[in-house]
Amino acid sequence: MTAPTSIKVRSLSKWFGSWRALQGVSVDIEGGACTVLCGPSGSGKSTFLRCLNGLEEWQTGEIEIGGIAVGDQPRALTRLRRDVGMVFQSFNLFPHLSVLDNVTLAPRRLLHRRRKDAEEQAMRLLQRVGVARQADKLPAGLSGGQKQRVAIARALAMEPKVLLFDEPTSALDPESVKEVLDVMIELAKGGTTMVVVTHEMGFARRVASRVLFMDKGRIVETAEPEAFFTCPCSERAKSFLADIGPP
Amino acid sequence: MIGPRQRRAKRVAFIQQALVLLAVGLLAVLIARNTVINLQARGLASGFDFLWQEAGFKIAFALIPVDATSTYGRVFVAGLLNSLLIAALGIIAATLLGFLLGIARVSPSPPLRFLTRGYVELVRNLPLLLHLLLWQAVILRSLPTVKDAIGLGGIAFLSNRGLYLPMPLLGNQANLLLSALGAAAVMAAIAWILHRRARSHGEAPPLLARGLSAGSLLLLVLVLIGLDWQVPQLSGFDYRGGLKLMPEFVSLIAALTLYNAAFIAEIVRAGIQSVDKGQREAAAALGLSSRQILRLVIVPPALRVIVPPIANQYTHIIKASSLATVVGFPDLVNVFLGTSLNQTGRAVEIVAMTAAVYLVLCAAVALATEAFNRRVALVER
Ligand SMILES: Nc1ncnc2c1ncn2[C@@H]1O[C@H](COP(=O)(O)OP(=O)(O)O)[C@@H](O)[C@H]1O
Ligand SMILES: [Mg+2]
């Protein structure tokens, strides 16, 4: 087992035109642990997360993942992204590929796995997230919860050192939310570095080692989950927690 | 599952279609009978026997030998082949250019996007006829005479009489050449299979595969060099030898290609943009390169959106090939619907045959599209 991969962010600022979405964010994200990022809508959570794997370009500041700088040089960026999996709110499965092919695409093309090996690995992952029986279906034939679990299996197939989740359960019905959270709780035990944007406070309490609270493009509070939920320091966090209700 | 209701609806639909078809067929027979009776009453000949009669005129460009003693049937075939040549070249060139332009339309480079957008907006908003006449004028007016032809590497020449290209003479070497080409094709096929096998096993392709691909390439080059190339030579007032493409042909292909490429570019752009941005991001997040993303994630679903309107554009190119008549290139409409009809007066037969050609060609495109749709319909979103 290699050392877990930590993430270092220094004075990260990002403008959309004249709108400053990130206002000099600096944070250290612990390797091998689950960090939950929460905050009101429009506070810059997605933007921050998407900067971590270079999906979003930023203007000033630095990001390092496992000691490697995230830059804009395409080759280095694609190389780095292999080790940083991402799960989106809207699943983003490839609609023209079966569930199995969705999962094997990247390992076959990027790691040059033989088809048979890639499919065996994919079946193990689909088993693990509980959708092995859907392997031959197209994404259109799945429920939301199943789609998101396939998306998680797809990200896991590259055996990433870091996993980013952007509101993975926000587009799901309550039953599916539980299916997906169960998979994520399982993952968090495995020692992968996880950064999860979510409002699922139950999840944060159970598995997060730290909670980052973001507001207006800044991280305004960093705390242990228990401390954050019982007595948040900032007024913004208090009213935010009051808005989303008790966990 | 098909339930009894759907089955009944299907049967009703079938009977309706059959009735409509029957009615149309009856009407056609009535009209045909009526016409024949009328023509006979006026003493005009009818029937298709003229196809075996001597036409007595020459054709400026033909893919099969045609002279003044050729029959109308042969003239029909020559015109048909010319029309097919125009349509095929127009379709291939417009597709290639259209895809390039369409991809450039959504490229990350602003100048490239700006330029291609300007091209598309300018070109597709002018009538095709204007394009054609413009190119005709450009070629006829601004290109030099044969005497001062522009040499293209000393082997091809461009003048206001047309484009002169080198052309191999396939004489007695033909068999040797064909077997060499066949051997190269077999070698390439084996190499391809070996490459694929290696790739699906995640291994480097074997040396044999590399050797075979190199060998087939070498053979191809040798064949190309070994051909008896006829380079156009200036003799008297014109170039002899090689292939002479009439200016009418060149301007027609140029106009069809440039005009239709603008439409195809828009179709391709719309297709690419129809693919959800999220899928592109998911692929990028996995570490796929932008070329892999285009090939594996964007193009396959985009094709479902692109193919039907492109097929429509193809039928447009097929029909627009008849604009050849305007610039005087001997396509089907020019030599058959034009000259042959004038000389024989067999209006009904000739119009029907000409119309049938375009109907069949466009129906073939429609059928191919439908087959494609049926295949990709399996992967509905
Ligand atoms: N592509 C974009 N163009 C312009 N503004 C954007 C874009 N993406 C996000 N923003 C703005 O940046 C801010 C942060 O957005 P986001 O990171 O999506 O917030 P969150 O995920 O916390 O809801 C919002 O005010 C949003 O309007
Ligand atoms: Mg968001």
Side-chain angles (χ1 to χ4, degrees):
Chain A
M1 192 75 206
T2 49
T5 305
S6 58
I7 303 172
K8 202 163 98 179
V9 180
R10 288 291 171 271
S11 354
L12 183 68
S13 287
K14 155 92 190 167
W15 282 262
F16 289 108
S18 62
W19 168 260
R20 191 171 178 191
L22 295 177
Q23 318 220 21
V25 176
S26 296
V27 64
D28 284 301
I29 293 171
E30 191 189 344
C34 176
T35 303
V36 161
L37 181 60
C38 62
S41 173
S43 57
K45 307 179 297 293
S46 298
T47 308
F48 174 73
L49 204 66
R50 292 158 54 81
C51 284
L52 294 183
N53 67 350
L55 278 186
E56 209 74 74
E57 290 182 356
W58 64 88
Q59 281 78 21
T60 64
E62 281 97 47
I63 300 174
E64 267 182 24
I65 296 186
I68 299 168
V70 182
D72 48 12
Q73 204 272 321
R75 260 169 184 269
L77 195 57
T78 52
R79 180 67 196 78
L80 183 107
R81 282 171 176 165
R82 292 184 194 181
D83 294 331
V84 182
M86 189 165 201
V87 175
F88 302 83
Q89 179 177 349
S90 50
F91 328 128
N92 297 344
L93 295 177
F94 307 129
H96 60 295
L97 298 179
S98 71
V99 163
L100 191 64
D101 291 341
N102 261 279
V103 180
T104 58
L105 180 77
R108 288 188 60 203
R109 299 292 168 168
L110 296 174
L111 309 176
H112 303 290
R113 292 254 171 82
R114 308 158 66 136
R115 174 190 275 272
K116 200 166 132 278
D117 296 347
E119 288 184 349
E120 274 170 20
Q121 181 218 18
M123 285 312 294
R124 277 197 304 275
L125 289 170
L126 291 173
Q127 199 96 50
R128 191 166 149 198
V129 299
V131 283
R133 288 182 55 201
Q134 327 290 332
D136 295 325
K137 284 194 184 169
L138 288 167
L142 304 184
S143 73
Q146 290 172 331
K147 282 183 193 165
Q148 195 60 298
R149 285 181 286 157
V150 172
I152 293 174
R154 178 176 68 179
L156 290 176
M158 288 298 287
E159 294 166 2
K161 303 195 178 92
V162 177
L163 274 172
L164 310 175
F165 293 84
D166 191 359
E167 305 206 28
T169 57
S170 298
L172 301 176
D173 56 277
E175 200 177 327
S176 305
V177 168
K178 188 174 173 317
E179 295 168 3
V180 171
L181 287 181
D182 285 346
V183 169
M184 290 171 60
I185 291 168
E186 217 36 57
L187 275 177
K189 291 180 189 157
T192 313
T193 309
M194 285 168 65
V195 184
V196 184
V197 175
T198 184
H199 294 163
E200 294 292 336
M201 293 309 144
F203 172 81
R205 275 194 127 125
R206 252 183 92 176
V207 300
S209 68
R210 271 207 309 177
V211 174
L212 309 178
F213 177 73
M214 209 165 173
D215 187 34
K216 302 204 177 85
R218 290 177 212 277
I219 293 180
V220 291
E221 200 165 331
T222 304
E224 305 267 312
E226 212 46 51
F228 178 73
F229 291 118
T230 44
C231 74
C233 308
S234 63
E235 281 308 311
R236 272 308 277 132
K238 273 182 195 145
S239 70
F240 171 72
L241 285 174
D243 284 347
I244 64 168
Chain B
M1 264 328 285
I2 300 177
R5 268 181 77 169
Q6 278 103 319
R7 214 171 301 146
R8 228 191 91 204
K10 256 187 145 169
R11 203 168 337 126
V12 170
F14 178 79
I15 292 172
Q16 281 173 345
Q17 283 172 11
L19 283 177
V20 170
L21 215 64
L22 198 70
V24 172
L26 270 175
L27 197 70
V29 170
L30 273 177
I31 292 174
R33 239 180 69 93
N34 219 331
T35 315
V36 170
I37 292 171
N38 280 341
L39 287 173
Q40 276 169 350
R42 286 196 218 152
L44 287 173
S46 65
F48 289 95
D49 54 310
F50 73 98
L51 289 174
W52 285 268
Q53 291 165 11
E54 200 171 280
F57 64 92
K58 285 201 278 188
I59 296 181
F61 178 93
L63 296 168
I64 52 170
V66 180
D67 56 29
T69 63
S70 298
T71 60
Y72 285 108
R74 201 171 180 82
V75 165
F76 170 78
V77 174
L80 172 61
L81 288 175
N82 282 350
S83 286
L84 285 176
L85 180 69
I86 299 163
L89 283 179
I91 284 174
I92 293 169
T95 306
L96 290 177
L97 183 62
F99 265 80
L100 286 179
L101 288 171
I103 292 172
R105 278 284 269 122
V106 291
S107 100
S109 147
L112 201 55
R113 282 205 306 266
F114 178 79
L115 280 177
T116 43
R117 165 140 203 210
Y119 174 87
V120 166
E121 294 304 341
L122 178 69
V123 166
R124 71 171 176 166
N125 291 320
L126 296 174
L128 177 53
L129 189 59
L130 196 146
H131 280 279
L132 184 56
L133 297 177
L134 191 79
W135 280 102
Q136 181 78 344
V138 165
I139 289 175
L140 289 184
R141 294 271 159 70
S142 56
L143 286 179
T145 58
V146 170
K147 200 155 63 66
D148 307 312
I150 303 169
L152 305 167
I155 52 169
F157 301 91
L158 191 60
S159 81
N160 61 7
R161 290 246 207 118
L163 180 63
Y164 301 81
L165 295 172
M167 169 98 146
L169 200 64
L170 291 176
N172 34 24
Q173 301 168 302
N175 281 335
L176 191 69
L177 284 173
L178 277 181
S179 24
L181 277 182
V186 170
M187 280 160 76
I190 295 175
W192 186 69
I193 291 169
L194 289 175
H195 265 282
R196 259 189 67 132
R197 169 112 48 90
R199 201 160 126 191
S200 75
H201 289 214
E203 297 154 5
L207 211 59
L208 180 64
R210 287 164 196 273
L212 279 173
S213 4
S216 74
L217 206 68
L218 191 71
L219 205 56
L220 214 63
V221 172
L222 282 179
V223 166
L224 283 179
I225 296 175
L227 283 174
D228 184 10
W229 285 98
Q230 303 285 300
V231 176
Q233 300 276 337
L234 188 60
S235 85
F237 294 113
D238 204 356
Y239 280 90
R240 310 240 172 262
L243 178 71
K244 176 186 175 182
L245 295 176
M246 300 163 62
E248 294 81 7
F249 183 78
V250 177
S251 48
L252 182 61
I253 295 292
L256 279 179
T257 300
L258 296 172
Y259 177 77
N260 287 290
F263 286 88
I264 291 177
E266 279 306 280
I267 294 169
V268 169
R269 178 191 61 78
I272 290 176
Q273 286 180 339
S274 78
V275 177
D276 183 31
K277 192 164 131 264
Q279 280 141 35
R280 203 174 313 197
E281 291 188 336
L286 285 165
L288 293 162
S289 69
S290 42
R291 269 182 52 196
Q292 285 174 317
I293 296 174
L294 188 66
R295 191 163 55 88
L296 301 169
V297 174
I298 298 178
V299 168
L303 274 184
R304 279 188 294 174
V305 181
I306 290 175
V307 165
I310 275 201
N312 194 29
Q313 205 63 34
Y314 287 174
T315 61
H316 175 76
I317 296 177
I318 290 170
K319 288 175 288 175
S321 71
S322 62
L323 279 178
T325 308
V326 177
V327 285
F329 180 79
D331 78 321
L332 181 66
V333 169
N334 187 342
V335 297
F336 202 59
L337 197 62
T339 316
S340 301
L341 174 55
N342 272 338
Q343 295 189 5
T344 61
R346 305 283 173 98
V348 178
E349 294 81 353
I350 286 181
V351 169
M353 278 175 77
T354 311
V357 164
Y358 289 100
L359 285 175
V360 166
L361 289 179
C362 291
V365 172
L367 279 178
T369 318
E370 216 166 282
F372 174 86
N373 278 344
R374 221 172 301 126
R375 264 191 55 187
V376 298
L378 294 172
V379 290
E380 205 38 71
R381 235 174 257 262

